Amino acid sequence: MTAPTLEVRNLCTHFFTRAGVVRAVDDVSFTVRRGQVLGLVGESGSGKTVTGFSIMGLVDAPGRIVSGSILFQGKDLASLSEEEMRHLRGNRIAMIFQDPMMTLNPVLRIDTQMIETVQAHEKVSDDEARARARDALGMVGIPSPDERLKSYPHQFSGGMRQRVAIAIALLHRPDLIVADEPTTALDVTIQGQILAEVQKLCANTGTAMIWITHDLSVVAGLADDIAVMYAGKVVEYGDVGEVLDTPLHPYTHGLIGSVPSRNKRGEPLRQIPGMTPSLLNLPEGCAFRARCPRAQTDCVQRPELREWLPARFARCHHPHREEAAAA
Amino acid sequence: MSATDEQIYATRTFTDTEVPMIELKGVSRRFSKKLDIAAKLARKLGADVREEIVHAVDGVDLRVRKGEVVGLVGESGCGKSTLGRIVAGILPQSDGQVFWKGQDVAGLHGDAERTAKLRRQMIFQDPYASLNPRMKVADIVGEAPQVHGLIKRGGFDEYVDEQMRRAGLDPAFKRRYPHQFSGGQRQRIGIARALAVQPEFIVCDEAVAALDVSIQAQILNLFMRLRRELDLTYLFISHDLGVVEHLSDRVVIMYLGRVVEEAPTERVFSAANHPYTRSLLDSVPRIGNRKRAFATVKGEIPSPLNPPSGCHFHPRCPLAFDRCKVEVPKLKTVGALHRSACHLNDAG
């Protein structure tokens, strides 16, 4: 088997603030293969976006990658110089942000921005670059791409802007796309359209994708594998169907349980008590301990990510193992 | 109607005959952009310049009965927030009438008008923007009831403590400012503030949209507990069909300012009539659906500045025919308490 597109091993990204060290990403590992989608799921402050930024080499001071490796096609990104990283970024690895205006410049026409992106990495003529831009817009389902190339970002609706941002990410046919909540701000019908396009693209071009989101339902339909993050750590990792059907970690269990459609109408929703702890002041041992219904005295010992069942990982001393094994 | 339908409705106690708590008849709301001097001048000189008018809400009838939870669903720009504000009495309508417990609100004056307004409260989407950052929680919660004379002399602290406790907040935090709370706690402050004036009717405008799933569940449970304890009626505005399905008795679906379908919740999710409702339901990602092709509605949501003729949904509708382009379909009864605005229901 060839090397996976991306292999993240024991990644730690910490922020050295005046108030103390924030361990935003703490010992995160996962693998993404060609044409596969990994759903990186977590609530606000769980470190999912910082994980994405670490892969892209976009972590700014006071944060930095403290340890671990990010192997992209066997090459460690964490050890590359800024210059080498710039050759990869936007070329072999691309990012899509939640707000498409993070990608788009409001005062430049779409064609200017797209041609610039093409020529940043390849010496091609303007005409050739324009042709590529047009093809990319067509690929994400923008009607009459020739005319739309001449528009400014404000002339597009929110959904169309996100399509343009995705088209820009696709210009160099990257091997990996990191997508950070790209459909969260969109309406459901538009979200459905974009998810359908993305699914088609990954299957057709073999692009690997990391889809960062807080929405388990989106991941259920889109991803192959899922990694659930809590307080900077991956607490569960495995095949998306298996994890969502029979979660091992009590946090995953609680998260799935609190999705309204998983509950009986009119009855109280199953909820996780308490709230996410501050990353500056994490409890000793398992960070979920204080909210966990299965917590016992040994949870003050820090749990490691362990393979409880074949290809099913959880960071827990007392996972829902019997249920998962029975399924 | 089939036997299963009868079973569904047998559990309902709501009928069309009782006086609704709130009723809207033909309510419209238009927003217009006034012409500036240059445009007025251009028009004097014969240029074809017109005021831009958005029909945010267009001839909506709505009834909410006492004790009911009505879910109001729609995508961006469909007018659901505008409608919510009209219902809550904080935005006047351009046309039509609003009735509070059977009385036209426009005909109320003095104390009656004040009470009618006070009994309708609103909870907003953004817990960061809807609380005054310079006020302490105790003042945010206690100001309105004090102004309206709901607090006995010297009873301020006690009253505020009770409101906070009811919303699941520790009264020890009442001297703090909003920025010292998390998103979920701020939403609780918003809830405590709304409930402090002893309302009967609450409009929740995307009240859980900004919260994480686990916090969202806590707040939704709080809403339902308060409904039981205080005998509240809700208009629950949301774009999240999963949330609406879970807690509504009835669902109203809007598209570009008009109501396209309304029905009891089970009915909407099992036997939706309008093509828009069906495509909306198909687009919702569900946790039980694995690795499947996402269903898509073609096209964009049209601009409310220039909505399509006839049925607003016809350019995106897979079943549209000639009549849909010219004639606006009326809401018609297609089952018990189930109304839908689609020409297909006439075609037989």
Side-chain angles (χ1 to χ4, degrees), chain A residues 43-44 157 187 189 191 193 199 224 245 264-265 267 269 271-272 274, chain B residues 75-76 212 214 218 221 245-246 248 266 285 289-292 297 299-300:
Chain A
E43 297 185 281
S44 324
S157 67
D187 281 310
T189 56
Q191 169 174 279
Q193 291 171 358
Q199 225 169 20
D224 300 286
D245 286 335
K264 225 172 146 195
R265 268 202 58 211
E267 278 178 18
L269 291 165
Q271 59 182 47
I272 306 176
Chain B
E75 297 180 280
S76 330
D212 275 320
S214 68
Q218 294 176 1
N221 283 344
E245 179 179 18
H246 186 74
S248 309
E266 298 91 338
N289 295 339
R290 302 294 149 66
K291 268 304 200 185
R292 53 152 201 153
V297 196
E300 294 263 291

PDB file of all heavy atoms in Angstrom, chain A residues 43-44 157 187 189 191 193 199 224 245 264-265 267 269 271-272 274, chain B residues 75-76 212 214 218 221 245-246 248 266 285 289-292 297 299-300:
ATOM      1  N   GLU A  43     -16.763  20.416  19.614  1.00  0.00           N
ATOM      2  CA  GLU A  43     -17.494  21.628  19.939  1.00  0.00           C
ATOM      3  C   GLU A  43     -16.522  22.809  19.946  1.00  0.00           C
ATOM      4  O   GLU A  43     -15.325  22.633  19.768  1.00  0.00           O
ATOM      5  CB  GLU A  43     -18.176  21.473  21.301  1.00  0.00           C
ATOM      6  CG  GLU A  43     -19.212  20.357  21.274  1.00  0.00           C
ATOM      7  CD  GLU A  43     -19.980  20.275  22.573  1.00  0.00           C
ATOM      8  OE1 GLU A  43     -19.463  19.728  23.546  1.00  0.00           O
ATOM      9  OE2 GLU A  43     -21.090  20.786  22.603  1.00  0.00           O
ATOM     10  N   SER A  44     -17.051  24.011  20.178  1.00  0.00           N
ATOM     11  CA  SER A  44     -16.192  25.195  20.212  1.00  0.00           C
ATOM     12  C   SER A  44     -15.044  24.983  21.188  1.00  0.00           C
ATOM     13  O   SER A  44     -15.249  24.492  22.281  1.00  0.00           O
ATOM     14  CB  SER A  44     -16.977  26.425  20.687  1.00  0.00           C
ATOM     15  OG  SER A  44     -18.278  26.407  20.216  1.00  0.00           O
ATOM     16  N   SER A 157     -24.125  35.440  -4.037  1.00  0.00           N
ATOM     17  CA  SER A 157     -24.789  35.105  -2.776  1.00  0.00           C
ATOM     18  C   SER A 157     -23.813  34.309  -1.910  1.00  0.00           C
ATOM     19  O   SER A 157     -22.748  33.889  -2.379  1.00  0.00           O
ATOM     20  CB  SER A 157     -26.028  34.271  -3.063  1.00  0.00           C
ATOM     21  OG  SER A 157     -25.634  33.026  -3.589  1.00  0.00           O
ATOM     22  N   ASP A 187     -27.653  27.956   4.078  1.00  0.00           N
ATOM     23  CA  ASP A 187     -28.974  27.346   4.228  1.00  0.00           C
ATOM     24  C   ASP A 187     -28.930  25.868   3.848  1.00  0.00           C
ATOM     25  O   ASP A 187     -28.085  25.456   3.061  1.00  0.00           O
ATOM     26  CB  ASP A 187     -29.967  28.068   3.314  1.00  0.00           C
ATOM     27  CG  ASP A 187     -30.416  29.369   3.926  1.00  0.00           C
ATOM     28  OD1 ASP A 187     -30.808  29.346   5.099  1.00  0.00           O
ATOM     29  OD2 ASP A 187     -30.361  30.397   3.254  1.00  0.00           O
ATOM     30  N   THR A 189     -30.697  23.896   1.905  1.00  0.00           N
ATOM     31  CA  THR A 189     -30.767  23.457   0.510  1.00  0.00           C
ATOM     32  C   THR A 189     -29.447  23.743  -0.202  1.00  0.00           C
ATOM     33  O   THR A 189     -28.988  22.952  -1.016  1.00  0.00           O
ATOM     34  CB  THR A 189     -31.920  24.138  -0.253  1.00  0.00           C
ATOM     35  OG1 THR A 189     -31.784  25.546  -0.158  1.00  0.00           O
ATOM     36  CG2 THR A 189     -33.270  23.732   0.293  1.00  0.00           C
ATOM     37  N   GLN A 191     -26.500  24.013   1.372  1.00  0.00           N
ATOM     38  CA  GLN A 191     -25.539  23.086   1.976  1.00  0.00           C
ATOM     39  C   GLN A 191     -25.613  21.729   1.281  1.00  0.00           C
ATOM     40  O   GLN A 191     -24.589  21.137   0.948  1.00  0.00           O
ATOM     41  CB  GLN A 191     -25.838  22.914   3.470  1.00  0.00           C
ATOM     42  CG  GLN A 191     -25.066  21.766   4.100  1.00  0.00           C
ATOM     43  CD  GLN A 191     -25.246  21.695   5.609  1.00  0.00           C
ATOM     44  OE1 GLN A 191     -24.613  22.411   6.342  1.00  0.00           O
ATOM     45  NE2 GLN A 191     -26.114  20.824   6.047  1.00  0.00           N
ATOM     46  N   GLN A 193     -26.519  21.101  -1.756  1.00  0.00           N
ATOM     47  CA  GLN A 193     -25.904  21.206  -3.086  1.00  0.00           C
ATOM     48  C   GLN A 193     -24.384  21.117  -2.992  1.00  0.00           C
ATOM     49  O   GLN A 193     -23.739  20.398  -3.760  1.00  0.00           O
ATOM     50  CB  GLN A 193     -26.279  22.545  -3.735  1.00  0.00           C
ATOM     51  CG  GLN A 193     -27.750  22.654  -4.115  1.00  0.00           C
ATOM     52  CD  GLN A 193     -28.131  24.068  -4.554  1.00  0.00           C
ATOM     53  OE1 GLN A 193     -27.300  24.979  -4.535  1.00  0.00           O
ATOM     54  NE2 GLN A 193     -29.381  24.247  -4.938  1.00  0.00           N
ATOM     55  N   GLN A 199     -18.716  15.633  -2.569  1.00  0.00           N
ATOM     56  CA  GLN A 199     -18.695  14.181  -2.592  1.00  0.00           C
ATOM     57  C   GLN A 199     -18.248  13.675  -3.964  1.00  0.00           C
ATOM     58  O   GLN A 199     -17.415  12.782  -4.084  1.00  0.00           O
ATOM     59  CB  GLN A 199     -20.103  13.687  -2.315  1.00  0.00           C
ATOM     60  CG  GLN A 199     -20.157  12.567  -1.326  1.00  0.00           C
ATOM     61  CD  GLN A 199     -21.582  12.297  -0.895  1.00  0.00           C
ATOM     62  OE1 GLN A 199     -22.543  12.668  -1.568  1.00  0.00           O
ATOM     63  NE2 GLN A 199     -21.724  11.654   0.231  1.00  0.00           N
ATOM     64  N   ASP A 224     -15.712   9.190   5.589  1.00  0.00           N
ATOM     65  CA  ASP A 224     -15.403   7.769   5.707  1.00  0.00           C
ATOM     66  C   ASP A 224     -15.017   7.457   7.146  1.00  0.00           C
ATOM     67  O   ASP A 224     -15.493   6.502   7.727  1.00  0.00           O
ATOM     68  CB  ASP A 224     -14.239   7.409   4.782  1.00  0.00           C
ATOM     69  CG  ASP A 224     -14.580   7.693   3.334  1.00  0.00           C
ATOM     70  OD1 ASP A 224     -15.367   6.935   2.768  1.00  0.00           O
ATOM     71  OD2 ASP A 224     -14.077   8.687   2.788  1.00  0.00           O
ATOM     72  N   ASP A 245     -22.877   4.539  15.237  1.00  0.00           N
ATOM     73  CA  ASP A 245     -23.840   3.525  15.686  1.00  0.00           C
ATOM     74  C   ASP A 245     -23.533   3.047  17.104  1.00  0.00           C
ATOM     75  O   ASP A 245     -24.424   2.908  17.928  1.00  0.00           O
ATOM     76  CB  ASP A 245     -23.831   2.323  14.735  1.00  0.00           C
ATOM     77  CG  ASP A 245     -24.525   2.649  13.423  1.00  0.00           C
ATOM     78  OD1 ASP A 245     -25.381   3.552  13.436  1.00  0.00           O
ATOM     79  OD2 ASP A 245     -24.197   2.028  12.400  1.00  0.00           O
ATOM     80  N   LYS A 264     -36.808  11.026  21.281  1.00  0.00           N
ATOM     81  CA  LYS A 264     -38.221  10.891  21.049  1.00  0.00           C
ATOM     82  C   LYS A 264     -38.888  12.245  21.196  1.00  0.00           C
ATOM     83  O   LYS A 264     -38.559  13.006  22.090  1.00  0.00           O
ATOM     84  CB  LYS A 264     -38.814   9.898  22.059  1.00  0.00           C
ATOM     85  CG  LYS A 264     -39.742   8.926  21.391  1.00  0.00           C
ATOM     86  CD  LYS A 264     -40.154   7.844  22.331  1.00  0.00           C
ATOM     87  CE  LYS A 264     -41.574   7.460  22.007  1.00  0.00           C
ATOM     88  NZ  LYS A 264     -42.190   6.689  23.046  1.00  0.00           N
ATOM     89  N   ARG A 265     -39.815  12.523  20.296  1.00  0.00           N
ATOM     90  CA  ARG A 265     -40.471  13.826  20.318  1.00  0.00           C
ATOM     91  C   ARG A 265     -41.128  14.098  21.658  1.00  0.00           C
ATOM     92  O   ARG A 265     -41.743  13.221  22.240  1.00  0.00           O
ATOM     93  CB  ARG A 265     -41.527  13.893  19.235  1.00  0.00           C
ATOM     94  CG  ARG A 265     -41.014  14.439  17.937  1.00  0.00           C
ATOM     95  CD  ARG A 265     -42.173  14.954  17.139  1.00  0.00           C
ATOM     96  NE  ARG A 265     -42.877  15.969  17.879  1.00  0.00           N
ATOM     97  CZ  ARG A 265     -44.167  16.195  17.779  1.00  0.00           C
ATOM     98  NH1 ARG A 265     -44.892  15.468  17.006  1.00  0.00           N
ATOM     99  NH2 ARG A 265     -44.722  17.155  18.479  1.00  0.00           N
ATOM    100  N   GLU A 267     -40.104  14.388  24.514  1.00  0.00           N
ATOM    101  CA  GLU A 267     -39.387  14.003  25.728  1.00  0.00           C
ATOM    102  C   GLU A 267     -38.169  14.893  25.887  1.00  0.00           C
ATOM    103  O   GLU A 267     -37.646  15.410  24.909  1.00  0.00           O
ATOM    104  CB  GLU A 267     -38.941  12.542  25.622  1.00  0.00           C
ATOM    105  CG  GLU A 267     -40.051  11.581  25.985  1.00  0.00           C
ATOM    106  CD  GLU A 267     -39.612  10.141  25.826  1.00  0.00           C
ATOM    107  OE1 GLU A 267     -38.396   9.891  25.776  1.00  0.00           O
ATOM    108  OE2 GLU A 267     -40.502   9.289  25.761  1.00  0.00           O
ATOM    109  N   LEU A 269     -34.501  16.144  25.922  1.00  0.00           N
ATOM    110  CA  LEU A 269     -33.326  15.680  25.200  1.00  0.00           C
ATOM    111  C   LEU A 269     -32.322  15.131  26.195  1.00  0.00           C
ATOM    112  O   LEU A 269     -32.167  15.670  27.286  1.00  0.00           O
ATOM    113  CB  LEU A 269     -32.687  16.844  24.453  1.00  0.00           C
ATOM    114  CG  LEU A 269     -33.457  17.430  23.285  1.00  0.00           C
ATOM    115  CD1 LEU A 269     -32.867  18.775  22.899  1.00  0.00           C
ATOM    116  CD2 LEU A 269     -33.402  16.494  22.111  1.00  0.00           C
ATOM    117  N   GLN A 271     -28.943  15.130  27.666  1.00  0.00           N
ATOM    118  CA  GLN A 271     -27.948  16.194  27.634  1.00  0.00           C
ATOM    119  C   GLN A 271     -26.692  15.805  28.388  1.00  0.00           C
ATOM    120  O   GLN A 271     -26.720  14.928  29.242  1.00  0.00           O
ATOM    121  CB  GLN A 271     -28.532  17.478  28.212  1.00  0.00           C
ATOM    122  CG  GLN A 271     -29.009  17.335  29.656  1.00  0.00           C
ATOM    123  CD  GLN A 271     -29.634  18.623  30.179  1.00  0.00           C
ATOM    124  OE1 GLN A 271     -30.450  19.219  29.511  1.00  0.00           O
ATOM    125  NE2 GLN A 271     -29.223  19.027  31.354  1.00  0.00           N
ATOM    126  N   ILE A 272     -25.591  16.453  28.007  1.00  0.00           N
ATOM    127  CA  ILE A 272     -24.347  16.265  28.749  1.00  0.00           C
ATOM    128  C   ILE A 272     -24.326  17.355  29.809  1.00  0.00           C
ATOM    129  O   ILE A 272     -24.442  18.526  29.472  1.00  0.00           O
ATOM    130  CB  ILE A 272     -23.126  16.404  27.824  1.00  0.00           C
ATOM    131  CG1 ILE A 272     -23.254  15.462  26.632  1.00  0.00           C
ATOM    132  CG2 ILE A 272     -21.851  16.167  28.591  1.00  0.00           C
ATOM    133  CD1 ILE A 272     -22.139  15.609  25.622  1.00  0.00           C
ATOM    134  N   GLY A 274     -23.050  20.113  32.584  1.00  0.00           N
ATOM    135  CA  GLY A 274     -21.877  20.977  32.688  1.00  0.00           C
ATOM    136  C   GLY A 274     -21.451  21.538  31.350  1.00  0.00           C
ATOM    137  O   GLY A 274     -22.196  21.501  30.377  1.00  0.00           O
TER     138      GLY A 274
ATOM    139  N   GLU B  75     -35.694  29.371   5.105  1.00  0.00           N
ATOM    140  CA  GLU B  75     -34.296  29.691   4.865  1.00  0.00           C
ATOM    141  C   GLU B  75     -34.069  31.195   4.988  1.00  0.00           C
ATOM    142  O   GLU B  75     -35.018  31.959   5.161  1.00  0.00           O
ATOM    143  CB  GLU B  75     -33.885  29.186   3.479  1.00  0.00           C
ATOM    144  CG  GLU B  75     -33.981  27.675   3.378  1.00  0.00           C
ATOM    145  CD  GLU B  75     -33.575  27.186   2.008  1.00  0.00           C
ATOM    146  OE1 GLU B  75     -34.385  27.257   1.087  1.00  0.00           O
ATOM    147  OE2 GLU B  75     -32.432  26.757   1.868  1.00  0.00           O
ATOM    148  N   SER B  76     -32.811  31.616   4.841  1.00  0.00           N
ATOM    149  CA  SER B  76     -32.491  33.044   4.939  1.00  0.00           C
ATOM    150  C   SER B  76     -33.389  33.867   4.029  1.00  0.00           C
ATOM    151  O   SER B  76     -33.634  33.475   2.893  1.00  0.00           O
ATOM    152  CB  SER B  76     -31.059  33.321   4.500  1.00  0.00           C
ATOM    153  OG  SER B  76     -30.232  32.254   4.749  1.00  0.00           O
ATOM    154  N   ASP B 212     -23.399  25.176  20.882  1.00  0.00           N
ATOM    155  CA  ASP B 212     -22.905  23.825  20.609  1.00  0.00           C
ATOM    156  C   ASP B 212     -23.994  22.799  20.909  1.00  0.00           C
ATOM    157  O   ASP B 212     -24.876  23.037  21.726  1.00  0.00           O
ATOM    158  CB  ASP B 212     -21.685  23.534  21.498  1.00  0.00           C
ATOM    159  CG  ASP B 212     -20.407  24.059  20.876  1.00  0.00           C
ATOM    160  OD1 ASP B 212     -20.268  23.920  19.658  1.00  0.00           O
ATOM    161  OD2 ASP B 212     -19.567  24.583  21.610  1.00  0.00           O
ATOM    162  N   SER B 214     -24.227  20.049  22.664  1.00  0.00           N
ATOM    163  CA  SER B 214     -24.517  19.594  24.024  1.00  0.00           C
ATOM    164  C   SER B 214     -25.163  20.716  24.842  1.00  0.00           C
ATOM    165  O   SER B 214     -26.020  20.475  25.692  1.00  0.00           O
ATOM    166  CB  SER B 214     -23.251  19.077  24.708  1.00  0.00           C
ATOM    167  OG  SER B 214     -22.354  20.123  24.946  1.00  0.00           O
ATOM    168  N   GLN B 218     -29.251  21.326  26.446  1.00  0.00           N
ATOM    169  CA  GLN B 218     -29.584  21.863  27.770  1.00  0.00           C
ATOM    170  C   GLN B 218     -30.603  22.988  27.673  1.00  0.00           C
ATOM    171  O   GLN B 218     -31.561  23.041  28.441  1.00  0.00           O
ATOM    172  CB  GLN B 218     -28.318  22.394  28.459  1.00  0.00           C
ATOM    173  CG  GLN B 218     -27.294  21.317  28.811  1.00  0.00           C
ATOM    174  CD  GLN B 218     -26.021  21.912  29.389  1.00  0.00           C
ATOM    175  OE1 GLN B 218     -25.895  23.114  29.552  1.00  0.00           O
ATOM    176  NE2 GLN B 218     -25.062  21.054  29.703  1.00  0.00           N
ATOM    177  N   ASN B 221     -34.075  21.751  26.614  1.00  0.00           N
ATOM    178  CA  ASN B 221     -34.744  21.125  27.758  1.00  0.00           C
ATOM    179  C   ASN B 221     -35.286  22.177  28.719  1.00  0.00           C
ATOM    180  O   ASN B 221     -36.367  22.015  29.281  1.00  0.00           O
ATOM    181  CB  ASN B 221     -33.785  20.188  28.491  1.00  0.00           C
ATOM    182  CG  ASN B 221     -33.604  18.875  27.745  1.00  0.00           C
ATOM    183  OD1 ASN B 221     -34.384  18.541  26.863  1.00  0.00           O
ATOM    184  ND2 ASN B 221     -32.570  18.137  28.098  1.00  0.00           N
ATOM    185  N   GLU B 245     -38.659  19.703  14.795  1.00  0.00           N
ATOM    186  CA  GLU B 245     -39.366  18.428  14.865  1.00  0.00           C
ATOM    187  C   GLU B 245     -39.476  17.958  16.308  1.00  0.00           C
ATOM    188  O   GLU B 245     -40.499  17.439  16.737  1.00  0.00           O
ATOM    189  CB  GLU B 245     -38.625  17.370  14.034  1.00  0.00           C
ATOM    190  CG  GLU B 245     -39.289  15.999  14.087  1.00  0.00           C
ATOM    191  CD  GLU B 245     -38.555  14.968  13.250  1.00  0.00           C
ATOM    192  OE1 GLU B 245     -37.378  15.200  12.909  1.00  0.00           O
ATOM    193  OE2 GLU B 245     -39.154  13.933  12.942  1.00  0.00           O
ATOM    194  N   HIS B 246     -38.402  18.191  17.056  1.00  0.00           N
ATOM    195  CA  HIS B 246     -38.398  17.672  18.416  1.00  0.00           C
ATOM    196  C   HIS B 246     -39.390  18.370  19.331  1.00  0.00           C
ATOM    197  O   HIS B 246     -40.030  17.732  20.149  1.00  0.00           O
ATOM    198  CB  HIS B 246     -36.999  17.765  19.023  1.00  0.00           C
ATOM    199  CG  HIS B 246     -36.905  17.118  20.363  1.00  0.00           C
ATOM    200  ND1 HIS B 246     -36.894  15.757  20.502  1.00  0.00           N
ATOM    201  CD2 HIS B 246     -36.887  17.635  21.605  1.00  0.00           C
ATOM    202  CE1 HIS B 246     -36.855  15.467  21.782  1.00  0.00           C
ATOM    203  NE2 HIS B 246     -36.848  16.588  22.479  1.00  0.00           N
ATOM    204  N   SER B 248     -41.908  21.038  18.479  1.00  0.00           N
ATOM    205  CA  SER B 248     -43.122  21.740  18.046  1.00  0.00           C
ATOM    206  C   SER B 248     -44.332  20.822  18.009  1.00  0.00           C
ATOM    207  O   SER B 248     -44.220  19.630  17.760  1.00  0.00           O
ATOM    208  CB  SER B 248     -42.932  22.327  16.652  1.00  0.00           C
ATOM    209  OG  SER B 248     -41.767  23.070  16.588  1.00  0.00           O
ATOM    210  N   GLU B 266     -45.995  15.817  13.124  1.00  0.00           N
ATOM    211  CA  GLU B 266     -45.833  14.464  12.564  1.00  0.00           C
ATOM    212  C   GLU B 266     -46.202  14.460  11.095  1.00  0.00           C
ATOM    213  O   GLU B 266     -45.603  13.764  10.292  1.00  0.00           O
ATOM    214  CB  GLU B 266     -46.726  13.422  13.259  1.00  0.00           C
ATOM    215  CG  GLU B 266     -46.459  13.206  14.723  1.00  0.00           C
ATOM    216  CD  GLU B 266     -47.308  14.109  15.583  1.00  0.00           C
ATOM    217  OE1 GLU B 266     -47.782  15.151  15.079  1.00  0.00           O
ATOM    218  OE2 GLU B 266     -47.495  13.771  16.770  1.00  0.00           O
ATOM    219  N   PRO B 285     -29.255  17.020   6.426  1.00  0.00           N
ATOM    220  CA  PRO B 285     -28.413  15.875   6.741  1.00  0.00           C
ATOM    221  C   PRO B 285     -28.912  15.210   8.020  1.00  0.00           C
ATOM    222  O   PRO B 285     -29.276  15.893   8.967  1.00  0.00           O
ATOM    223  CB  PRO B 285     -27.021  16.480   6.959  1.00  0.00           C
ATOM    224  CG  PRO B 285     -27.144  17.933   6.744  1.00  0.00           C
ATOM    225  CD  PRO B 285     -28.584  18.290   6.687  1.00  0.00           C
ATOM    226  N   ASN B 289     -28.218   8.793   8.197  1.00  0.00           N
ATOM    227  CA  ASN B 289     -27.932   8.573   6.775  1.00  0.00           C
ATOM    228  C   ASN B 289     -26.434   8.502   6.544  1.00  0.00           C
ATOM    229  O   ASN B 289     -25.725   9.461   6.758  1.00  0.00           O
ATOM    230  CB  ASN B 289     -28.514   9.707   5.940  1.00  0.00           C
ATOM    231  CG  ASN B 289     -30.008   9.750   5.995  1.00  0.00           C
ATOM    232  OD1 ASN B 289     -30.649   8.756   6.325  1.00  0.00           O
ATOM    233  ND2 ASN B 289     -30.579  10.903   5.699  1.00  0.00           N
ATOM    234  N   ARG B 290     -25.950   7.363   6.102  1.00  0.00           N
ATOM    235  CA  ARG B 290     -24.518   7.191   5.898  1.00  0.00           C
ATOM    236  C   ARG B 290     -24.163   7.175   4.427  1.00  0.00           C
ATOM    237  O   ARG B 290     -24.836   6.541   3.635  1.00  0.00           O
ATOM    238  CB  ARG B 290     -24.056   5.860   6.512  1.00  0.00           C
ATOM    239  CG  ARG B 290     -24.331   5.702   7.962  1.00  0.00           C
ATOM    240  CD  ARG B 290     -23.522   6.688   8.807  1.00  0.00           C
ATOM    241  NE  ARG B 290     -24.249   7.047  10.013  1.00  0.00           N
ATOM    242  CZ  ARG B 290     -24.535   6.186  10.990  1.00  0.00           C
ATOM    243  NH1 ARG B 290     -24.162   4.937  10.902  1.00  0.00           N
ATOM    244  NH2 ARG B 290     -25.202   6.580  12.034  1.00  0.00           N
ATOM    245  N   LYS B 291     -23.083   7.872   4.113  1.00  0.00           N
ATOM    246  CA  LYS B 291     -22.466   7.770   2.804  1.00  0.00           C
ATOM    247  C   LYS B 291     -23.477   7.704   1.672  1.00  0.00           C
ATOM    248  O   LYS B 291     -23.501   6.777   0.874  1.00  0.00           O
ATOM    249  CB  LYS B 291     -21.597   6.501   2.754  1.00  0.00           C
ATOM    250  CG  LYS B 291     -20.164   6.744   3.143  1.00  0.00           C
ATOM    251  CD  LYS B 291     -19.603   7.799   2.266  1.00  0.00           C
ATOM    252  CE  LYS B 291     -18.118   7.864   2.167  1.00  0.00           C
ATOM    253  NZ  LYS B 291     -17.712   9.014   1.363  1.00  0.00           N
ATOM    254  N   ARG B 292     -24.357   8.668   1.656  1.00  0.00           N
ATOM    255  CA  ARG B 292     -25.351   8.603   0.597  1.00  0.00           C
ATOM    256  C   ARG B 292     -25.197   9.842  -0.268  1.00  0.00           C
ATOM    257  O   ARG B 292     -24.556  10.802   0.104  1.00  0.00           O
ATOM    258  CB  ARG B 292     -26.740   8.555   1.208  1.00  0.00           C
ATOM    259  CG  ARG B 292     -26.943   9.693   2.176  1.00  0.00           C
ATOM    260  CD  ARG B 292     -28.351  10.088   2.288  1.00  0.00           C
ATOM    261  NE  ARG B 292     -28.383  11.446   2.799  1.00  0.00           N
ATOM    262  CZ  ARG B 292     -29.355  12.287   2.557  1.00  0.00           C
ATOM    263  NH1 ARG B 292     -30.350  11.936   1.822  1.00  0.00           N
ATOM    264  NH2 ARG B 292     -29.319  13.500   3.057  1.00  0.00           N
ATOM    265  N   VAL B 297     -31.840  20.499  -4.112  1.00  0.00           N
ATOM    266  CA  VAL B 297     -32.818  21.323  -4.786  1.00  0.00           C
ATOM    267  C   VAL B 297     -32.015  22.136  -5.769  1.00  0.00           C
ATOM    268  O   VAL B 297     -30.978  22.673  -5.423  1.00  0.00           O
ATOM    269  CB  VAL B 297     -33.466  22.318  -3.807  1.00  0.00           C
ATOM    270  CG1 VAL B 297     -34.727  22.886  -4.410  1.00  0.00           C
ATOM    271  CG2 VAL B 297     -33.724  21.678  -2.473  1.00  0.00           C
ATOM    272  N   GLY B 299     -30.902  25.292  -8.029  1.00  0.00           N
ATOM    273  CA  GLY B 299     -31.031  26.744  -7.996  1.00  0.00           C
ATOM    274  C   GLY B 299     -30.812  27.378  -6.637  1.00  0.00           C
ATOM    275  O   GLY B 299     -30.692  26.722  -5.618  1.00  0.00           O
ATOM    276  N   GLU B 300     -30.765  28.709  -6.690  1.00  0.00           N
ATOM    277  CA  GLU B 300     -30.534  29.534  -5.509  1.00  0.00           C
ATOM    278  C   GLU B 300     -31.856  30.024  -4.944  1.00  0.00           C
ATOM    279  O   GLU B 300     -32.881  29.974  -5.632  1.00  0.00           O
ATOM    280  CB  GLU B 300     -29.755  30.772  -5.940  1.00  0.00           C
ATOM    281  CG  GLU B 300     -28.376  30.498  -6.435  1.00  0.00           C
ATOM    282  CD  GLU B 300     -27.386  30.716  -5.336  1.00  0.00           C
ATOM    283  OE1 GLU B 300     -27.174  31.853  -4.917  1.00  0.00           O
ATOM    284  OE2 GLU B 300     -26.831  29.724  -4.851  1.00  0.00           O
TER     285      GLU B 300
END
